[in-house]
Amino acid sequence: MFFHYRRGKGHLFRYILDRMIWKWYPALKIVQQFPEHVDLELSSICNMNCPMCYTTLEQYKSQKKMFMDFALFKRLINECAEGKVFSVRLSIRGEPLMHPHFAECAQYAKKKGIKEVSFLTNALLLDENMAKVIVEAEVDWVTISFDGLGATYNKIRKPAKYEEALQRVKDFVRIRDEHGFGKPAIKVQTIWDAIKDDPDAFLSTFNNIVDMTAFNMYVDYENTVDHDPGFFCKSPWERMVIYADGSVPKCINDPFSKDIIANVNDASLRQIWTGEAMRNVREMLVRHKRLEFASCRSCSYGARVKKVDLNVGDRHILVGERKGAFVGTVD
């Protein structure tokens, strides 16, 4: 709860409204005239080569790697501001801190009135100077990918070193706290396979440092997914995604660009969001025909999941499945 308070600090009422819209509009099939959230890929280039990541696969390597043009970024932010979008995330597939104008991008988004600006990072470039840039830009929340502890981290996150990476996280929190704004909220996440032998150790390491500690399930992008036919994907009602080259996939989970529906160099965000291609995507999902899309057939969001019921430290983790949804709670 404190993570959410810090994340919404400064616009708490609008943040609560955003969470309600995020939850209920897709369920009620309500489409706003402009998306509530927009993902802008500042970089499709990454400075790590993590073995579990889709960026290591030939399907991804064959795509053009680039930074989003700064002029295009500003145009898209202007459109987001005009459309009163609530939140913008500055990362999708690559490492956003590699963008030569990262600081200007974050500052420009906040200057134009975007309520919530966030990004995900591997933290390799998160030195003290970059931490100050992020804090002074008043970024609202940051997710740091940090897979495992000690030798496990070193193996997965090469060329990063565990002790140095942990210190960068601590320094980031310290600089945030010294600044006085209380932003950004900081979340650390890992894949479950990296901590499953001793999840308590991971939790105890970060629990008193960051605002939230979380894990994701491992996804095998090269093998067939066992799909739940009743699954309903909410993504095309929630958010719009723009890759670094301006192409627009139908949803957030299409790393190999299998279903590109438009390009922002040819149309405005509003035209794409309310246009025929996106309407067709939503209609197909409502009719339970999502598996006709190539990206859906390899997507883990609709996969059947194993039931897990365990205690990690003082947390109770319960995940399982029910018809049409993935269920997960942490008490």
Side-chain angles (χ1 to χ4, degrees), residues 120-135:
L120 185 148
T121 178
N122 59 37
L124 189 59
L125 299 178
L126 189 59
D127 58 19
E128 292 201 18
N129 288 332
M130 181 59 74
K132 291 176 182 176
V133 165
I134 294 166
V135 171

Side-chain angles (χ1 to χ4, degrees), residues 15 18 32 74 103 117 130 143 164 178 189 191 213 228 287:
Y15 175 65
D18 167 75
Q32 300 186 95
K74 290 193 289 185
V117 175
M130 181 59 74
T143 298
E164 295 172 0
E178 289 174 351
Q189 69 180 20
I191 56 170
T213 307
D228 177 355
R287 293 166 59 194

Side-chain angles (χ1 to χ4, degrees), residues 18 34-35 101 162 217 253 283:
D18 167 75
F34 204 86
H101 299 291
Y162 171 71
M217 62 181 180
N253 207 22
E283 181 182 349

Side-chain angles (χ1 to χ4, degrees), residues 14 33-38 40 72-88 105 107-117 242 268-270:
R14 182 62 181 86
Q33 286 300 302
F34 204 86
E36 183 75 358
H37 172 85
V38 174
L40 298 178
L72 175 61
F73 174 83
K74 290 193 289 185
R75 193 207 100 194
L76 296 176
I77 289 296
N78 290 344
E79 291 186 33
C80 287
E82 183 179 349
K84 300 189 184 321
V85 67
F86 173 74
S87 57
V88 169
C105 289
Q107 292 163 358
Y108 189 80
K110 293 302 294 185
K111 179 182 177 182
K112 296 301 291 185
I114 305 300
K115 296 293 186 186
E116 181 178 281
V117 175
I242 299 94
S268 71
L269 295 181
R270 189 184 298 274

Side-chain angles (χ1 to χ4, degrees), residues 114-212:
I114 305 300
K115 296 293 186 186
E116 181 178 281
V117 175
S118 67
F119 64 92
L120 185 148
T121 178
N122 59 37
L124 189 59
L125 299 178
L126 189 59
D127 58 19
E128 292 201 18
N129 288 332
M130 181 59 74
K132 291 176 182 176
V133 165
I134 294 166
V135 171
E136 290 173 0
E138 299 184 34
V139 170
D140 295 275
W141 69 290
V142 177
T143 298
I144 299 173
S145 293
F146 202 107
D147 296 302
L149 303 175
T152 300
Y153 177 89
N154 291 339
K155 182 178 180 181
I156 295 174
R157 288 281 164 179
K158 192 188 304 182
K161 302 295 184 184
Y162 171 71
E163 292 296 343
E164 295 172 0
L166 182 59
Q167 189 59 50
R168 283 195 292 272
V169 175
K170 292 179 178 179
D171 288 341
F172 186 27
V173 175
R174 172 181 55 79
I175 290 168
R176 187 271 311 270
D177 293 345
E178 289 174 351
H179 202 281
F181 290 159
K183 292 281 187 100
I186 300 171
K187 171 184 174 182
V188 161
Q189 69 180 20
T190 178
I191 56 170
W192 175 255
D193 291 54
I195 65 167
K196 63 183 180 182
D197 293 334
D198 191 358
D200 293 287
F202 190 85
L203 187 65
S204 62
T205 297
F206 287 104
N207 230 17
N208 295 319
I209 300 175
V210 298
D211 302 305
M212 179 183 285

Side-chain angles (χ1 to χ4, degrees), residues 37-50:
H37 172 85
V38 174
D39 297 274
L40 298 178
E41 183 179 73
L42 291 189
S43 171
S44 60
I45 308 167
C46 191
N47 52 0
M48 285 190 178
N49 195 38
C50 304

